[in-house]
Amino acid sequence: MKQYNFLIVLSMTLISSLISAQNEPVKIIEDFKASTVNQPGQEYPQVNSQGYARFQIKAPDAKSVVVSLGLGGAKGGTELSKAENGVWTGTTAGPMDEGFHYYHVTIDGGVFNDPGALNFYGSTRWESGIEIPAHDQDFYALKNVPHGNVQQILFPSNSTNTSRRAYVYTPPSYAKEQSKRFPVLYLQHGWGEDETAWSNQGRVNLIMDNLIVEGKIKPFIIVMTYGMTNEVKWGGMASFKIEPFQTVLVDELIPYVDANFRTLANQENRAMAGLSMGGMETKTITLNKPDVFSHYALLSGGTYKPEDIKDKSKVKLVFLSCGSKERPDGVKNAVIGLKEAGFNAVSYVSEGTGHEFQTWRRSFKELAPLLFLNKK
Amino acid sequence: MKQYNFLIVLSMTLISSLISAQNEPVKIIEDFKASTVNQPGQEYPQVNSQGYARFQIKAPDAKSVVVSLGLGGAKGGTELSKAENGVWTGTTAGPMDEGFHYYHVTIDGGVFNDPGALNFYGSTRWESGIEIPAHDQDFYALKNVPHGNVQQILFPSNSTNTSRRAYVYTPPSYAKEQSKRFPVLYLQHGWGEDETAWSNQGRVNLIMDNLIVEGKIKPFIIVMTYGMTNEVKWGGMASFKIEPFQTVLVDELIPYVDANFRTLANQENRAMAGLSMGGMETKTITLNKPDVFSHYALLSGGTYKPEDIKDKSKVKLVFLSCGSKERPDGVKNAVIGLKEAGFNAVSYVSEGTGHEFQTWRRSFKELAPLLFLNKK
């Protein structure tokens, strides 16, 4: 089994963020607004134009309220202070990276979510989420354009003896062009996340809608399912076995999707991509099943070496990406090697982001226009 | 504007539950199991075979942890007690009604969710949820049968100047029978809930899948969207205006659904139903728009009088229901009056339940087989 480093990378990203924050005494601009992923009507958490986040939580009798998100705060988070009205308030010690972040609140030693924020599944639990407005947020904004649908399917899985859930994005033209068939991307979440991550945190349906209306991609279907088929604990990745998930994906989900959606049901029109742990799964399954997928993409999820791939003629695209705060040289050098060996390989590095969803939103935006170009 | 009483009924249900619990000293059976709507891997909250709920929450330094769900406890809830390991535990003072309940946790005066439970949108926030196993839970169980899909659509709304979200259930045969068209039920949530409620809390997709495989209903499409178009606050119902939502539903959503799904796009094949506040909306809109809907259903959401309905020939079904702990006589008497006036009217009372989702799951199961019978 190869060594997969995304947990290490995640830790390094956090540590380097903490160190850099120490050196930046900045005046905080008081233009805070409610985060765009707050619960309806909730004014907090807030973010300002510099990327600072401010929290406000009511707990009149609490001794301590600490938000896990933050830079340079105690315990790596942001300690809130109580006002006389029983409301705790605090601002991050530094600006946060652009994009989406998970967080939670520790109240008197217990871990809870911020009642003001929407919840997103990460770290094997529903966590609070916050959006730091990004300079490029337009590409994943909800716009007045034709929208594709995201549908929950429940597909039979004999290997796990249950009905399993997946989400399927169909492009706006899917309902209109009843005789047309579409290529399919199988898109995996990361460790501790689930099949909701790419559309909730990743906004992949909106990225697709926007790319399609701009004419930048060939419309395709996206299928997202749960990849932690055998339960994976922190530190247990060394013993991770791909077979249970590979069986669900290749032997159960793909046939179901091909039977129930108007797909182009062949290798040339089938791609697999994944972020972080989903990248590890993508790498292993694409190499195990060269006749199933033709386009491979690892987002902050490792690299391929030319010698990993047995039959070059079957691979139409290798896409590798990560954030600039991860290990961009690894991704770039791997693509140089793949290109030298004659592969259609592309690298992408997201500037100023780490092992988080902004990296993966941007990576997806770069990846999508490269998929299924070989087919008419 | 008519008087709508569901907030009063809700309060009465809670009060009568509290009173009855005082008189029942019962020995608690120690067969507690994790609630079926817990977060993955979470052992608490638990429920036992009598319907008691037990909570366990870690908050070592907290002074007070109170769960809002409960009977006879302080502040109408269940006060938890702290053990030496910093974990708070408590059991409801009496058995809960069968089915789904919302709840939250008050920690040192602040309102949070139970980290062990999944969240469901109710009371205008994402609340914790718990399932008390019901004697009839089989009808909404996830089974190894063909499953319909639940898809998120984003439809353009000029009147509110945004893309609005709806969920659409399509039956298992929808994808297979590409030339077939289906009737449509527009199904509304209650006050403080949203378009996720009927499939999350209500499990309406599973109820449909099970009824279809048993041959008990004609397959139809269900469309669920957000009904609190003009923001409604507690106590603000008297000033509720139907027009903004009616415009979204009738002038924007229905045309979008008819254009993008294979519907039978006529009055005879279009039904509207709603629970609680959604019943009020259903009543008002069906009476305002007799040429749009032919089947009307109010679930714990009021009644029709014969004189409310101007053209009897346009109404194929009036269905009224509630829980036995609400006001069943109102529902029954209204149906007697409607029948005497020559309407096809049906009443249903859910035994042993109040103004909660178990009443509405059962009501839906009774309603579905009565819909669209007049069409081949």
Side-chain angles (χ1 to χ4, degrees), chain A residues 52-74:
Chain A
Y52 285 75
R54 180 170 288 169
F55 305 92
Q56 195 167 91
I57 288 168
K58 186 185 167 196
D61 303 326
K63 285 185 206 128
S64 159
V65 178
V66 181
V67 172
S68 63
L69 190 77
L71 302 168

Side-chain angles (χ1 to χ4, degrees), chain A residues 39-40 58-63 107-112 115 118-119 121 125-126 147 149-153 163 178, chain B residues 39-40 58-63 107-112 115 118-119 121 125-126 147 149-153 163 178:
Chain A
Q39 295 202 24
K58 186 185 167 196
D61 303 326
K63 285 185 206 128
I107 298 160
D108 289 347
V111 173
F112 301 92
L118 288 175
N119 299 323
Y121 198 72
R125 63 184 294 273
W126 288 88
H147 292 291
N149 299 343
V150 177
Q151 60 193 296
Q152 172 191 285
I153 64 170
S163 292
Q178 288 279 334
Chain B
Q39 295 201 25
K58 186 184 167 197
D61 303 325
K63 286 187 206 125
I107 297 161
D108 289 347
V111 172
F112 301 92
L118 289 175
N119 299 323
Y121 197 72
R125 61 184 296 272
W126 287 89
H147 292 291
N149 299 345
V150 177
Q151 60 193 293
Q152 173 192 284
I153 64 170
S163 292
Q178 290 278 335

Side-chain angles (χ1 to χ4, degrees), chain B residues 72-85:
Chain B
K75 300 175 195 171
T78 301
E79 282 192 3
L80 309 193
S81 308
K82 187 166 80 166
E84 286 187 8
N85 62 0

Side-chain angles (χ1 to χ4, degrees), chain B residues 84-307:
Chain B
E84 286 187 8
N85 62 0
V87 174
W88 297 73
T89 305
T91 306
T92 52
M96 308 299 302
D97 287 347
E98 294 184 327
F100 175 85
H101 307 282
Y102 298 106
Y103 72 101
H104 55 258
V105 186
T106 303
I107 297 161
D108 289 347
V111 172
F112 301 92
N113 285 332
D114 184 340
L118 289 175
N119 299 323
F120 300 84
Y121 197 72
S123 310
T124 73
R125 61 184 296 272
W126 287 89
E127 289 248 298
S128 299
I130 189 169
E131 275 285 345
I132 307 297
H135 72 281
D136 57 347
Q137 61 187 331
D138 188 66
F139 81 83
Y140 51 87
L142 174 64
K143 299 182 189 176
N144 185 17
V145 300
H147 292 291
N149 299 345
V150 177
Q151 60 193 293
Q152 173 192 284
I153 64 170
L154 296 167
F155 64 99
S157 166
N158 286 334
S159 71
T160 60
N161 198 27
T162 185
S163 292
R164 303 187 68 85
R165 187 169 72 165
Y167 287 95
V168 179
Y169 169 86
T170 52
S173 53
Y174 186 84
K176 300 283 187 188
E177 301 176 35
Q178 290 278 335
S179 60
K180 194 174 171 187
R181 292 185 166 270
F182 294 81
V184 186
L185 167 66
Y186 289 81
L187 182 61
Q188 288 305 124
H189 59 82
W191 181 91
E193 297 171 340
D194 70 7
E195 63 274 25
T196 63
W198 266 107
S199 41
N200 284 355
Q201 293 93 302
R203 301 171 75 94
V204 72
N205 54 320
L206 301 181
I207 300 173
M208 286 291 288
D209 294 344
N210 294 336
L211 288 171
I212 288 169
V213 81
E214 291 166 11
K216 290 185 177 161
I217 63 169
K218 275 190 58 166
F220 53 86
I221 293 169
I222 305 175
V223 179
M224 300 158 276
T225 197
Y226 185 58
M228 292 169 71
T229 309
N230 44 347
E231 295 187 18
V232 181
K233 312 279 184 199
W234 277 107
M237 290 303 299
S239 64
F240 182 78
K241 287 190 170 53
I242 197 67
E243 288 76 16
F245 176 58
Q246 182 175 291
T247 300
V248 167
L249 180 72
V250 175
D251 300 334
E252 297 172 341
L253 178 56
I254 291 178
Y256 184 88
V257 168
D258 284 338
N260 287 279
F261 292 85
R262 297 194 314 279
T263 63
L264 291 162
N266 55 47
Q267 189 257 8
E268 288 168 285
N269 287 291
R270 204 178 287 120
M272 185 169 180
L275 72 88
S276 194
M277 187 194 77
M280 177 201 80
E281 295 176 332
T282 298
K283 177 176 174 178
T284 312
I285 293 176
T286 51
L287 294 177
N288 285 350
K289 298 284 180 182
D291 293 326
V292 177
F293 302 99
S294 54
H295 296 67
Y296 310 171
L298 315 182
L299 318 184
S300 306
T303 59
Y304 293 89
K305 296 194 195 84
E307 60 267 30

